[in-house]
Amino acid sequence: MARPQAGPPPGVGDGDRAERAQDGTPLYVHLPFCAAKCHYCDFFSVAAEGHDRGALIDAILREARARAPWHPHTVYLGGGTPSLLSIPELECLLDGLHACTGFRDSAVEVSAECNPESLDEAKARALLGLGVGRLSIGFQSLSDEVLQLFGRVHSVADSFRAFDAARAAGAANVNVDLIFAVPGQNLEGWTADLNRVLDLGPDHLSAYNLTFEEETLFRRWLEEGRLAKQPEELELALFHATRDVAAERGYHAYEISNFALTGRHCSHNVNYWRNGPYVGLGPSAVSKVGWRRSGNIKGVASYRARIDEGQSARVWDEELGPRERLAETWWLGLRLAEGLAPEDARARSGCAAEQDASLDVAEALLRDGLLERDAGRFRLSPRGLPLGDFVARKFLQAGHAGSRVS
């Protein structure tokens, strides 16, 4: 398939460009199709069967021509399961994105989420040839029984085959996703599984504590008594074991749940945690441009209909007040090992020093031993790391007095 020549989006004049994000803004593309819906997942996703995937790709590209930034710094294909697309569909999507953004000439990182059942060497090689440089593979568990409980459609053997396929295709930056604190798990089993994955030599590891989100099967089963959360003491032990094992194997804990070899952190996600701007394309995708956030309509058919009718896919917009923006900047920034300085937080949120209620919160948390300070930067202390959500609530409560605009 011939690749379109990259260039400024057709039909976009100076007046229209004023409505687009600044050149270089990171770009997220939401591809909602999955082989099956995972029981713990609260992201917008649908089973692919019965949907016209090509028509959705066409709609996403039309939205991209209207809204995507030129020369994005990073690109992230999420979902859903981007690797579920066929090679011709991936060619259409990524060649089309390059034609209207020039991402292959600008992006320092292009990531694609992959599930083991839909990633083989040919697919991995195609993704790499189309400009993707970072593959994130959802292992989730090294227990076939747990994978069945999760509603996953792959096996443990499939996960290892997918990783080998990525390396055989030449992928030099591979992430593995795992979930801990699952029913029936113990500390010894998790440590063994973690070491088994790290023996593969992934460049990056994402390890998340299982959560029971609203409107998921897992949440309903929890409320019905069909599932039970692991005791907090075990969750804490699993959390610390993850950090200890990763550190022993040379993986830096640059964020609460993310670990990387030197230089292999996920730049796209770091931008989120630094409360930077981004543009989201596709059904349910969220954007943050300037001080304004917006979100696209959920639903494949409804998204396509709005694009087909020449309408914006965005169905909500909000602008937080400066104190609320500042609180969110602290909440996100403290997830990073680098932490943040108060003056940086104010600059990122556009909050004047006289409006800053967060510094008092930080000082109180410092006294309580949940934060530490070094060279003017605050970060979560070892005691505060597993209590990140509690710390975040303190900042969000302080910023709640800020007003929303529109």
Side-chain angles (χ1 to χ4, degrees), residues 72-359:
H73 184 65
T74 58
V75 178
Y76 195 102
L77 308 181
T81 310
S83 61
L84 192 65
L85 299 181
S86 69
I87 291 175
E89 287 167 342
L90 289 167
E91 289 173 343
C92 180
L93 174 67
L94 289 163
D95 286 345
L97 279 177
H98 179 60
C100 63
T101 68
F103 78 86
R104 291 180 183 132
D105 301 321
S106 63
V108 300
E109 175 189 276
V110 181
S111 302
E113 293 181 349
C114 306
N115 275 347
E117 72 276 3
S118 56
L119 185 69
D120 56 18
E121 186 176 343
K123 184 74 65 69
R125 196 176 298 279
L127 284 163
L128 297 173
L130 291 164
V132 175
R134 182 176 181 277
L135 302 179
S136 182
I137 306 174
F139 279 38
Q140 310 310 1
S141 175
L142 296 193
S143 162
D144 284 326
E145 182 180 2
V146 170
L147 290 174
Q148 291 175 12
L149 176 66
F150 282 173
R152 307 286 286 182
V153 297
H154 66 89
S155 67
V156 174
D158 291 334
S159 296
F160 284 89
R161 279 195 291 269
F163 187 93
D164 289 343
R167 288 300 199 209
N173 196 353
V174 182
N175 171 64
V176 170
D177 272 0
L178 290 173
I179 298 174
F180 64 86
V182 303
Q185 190 173 58
N186 58 42
L187 183 60
E188 294 74 21
W190 169 244
T191 302
D193 286 350
L194 194 54
N195 275 301
R196 188 178 171 196
V197 167
L198 295 180
D199 283 343
L200 293 172
D203 304 275
H204 188 286
L205 170 74
S206 299
Y208 302 103
N209 192 324
L210 176 64
T211 56
F212 296 80
E213 303 292 348
E214 297 286 347
E215 300 182 6
T216 64
L217 269 178
F218 263 26
R219 181 57 175 259
R220 191 176 81 194
W221 291 347
L222 179 69
E223 293 169 348
E224 293 172 351
R226 295 174 58 185
L227 284 179
K229 292 182 178 181
Q230 291 280 27
E232 288 186 6
E233 295 81 3
L234 179 57
E235 287 191 347
L236 187 62
L238 294 167
F239 174 86
H240 286 302
T242 304
R243 299 179 70 83
D244 291 344
V245 170
E248 290 167 4
R249 303 297 295 270
Y251 292 81
H252 172 56
Y254 72 97
E255 192 269 345
I256 290 177
S257 302
N258 286 274
F259 310 82
L261 297 177
T262 301
R264 296 301 192 182
H265 61 275
C266 180
S267 296
H268 186 87
N269 286 342
V270 168
N271 176 66
Y272 289 148
W273 293 314
R274 289 175 178 165
N275 210 8
Y278 51 90
V279 170
L281 306 176
S284 82
V286 173
S287 301
K288 176 179 176 287
V289 179
W291 307 133
R292 185 165 292 275
R293 282 192 305 224
S294 61
N296 284 356
I297 193 168
K298 289 185 178 180
V300 173
S302 52
Y303 171 82
R304 282 180 51 197
R306 292 180 75 97
I307 298 296
D308 289 345
E309 293 165 4
Q311 299 179 27
S312 170
R314 288 170 287 176
V315 291
W316 62 266
D317 289 91
E318 69 175 2
E319 185 173 333
L320 303 182
R323 291 182 64 178
E324 287 178 302
R325 296 195 300 263
L326 180 65
E328 286 199 350
T329 301
W330 277 93
W331 158 51
L332 292 165
L334 285 173
R335 293 191 63 87
L336 290 168
E338 68 185 29
L340 77 170
E343 58 272 19
D344 292 339
R346 289 193 292 269
R348 293 176 197 173
S349 57
C351 184
E354 59 270 19
Q355 297 174 294
D356 189 349
S358 296
L359 191 54

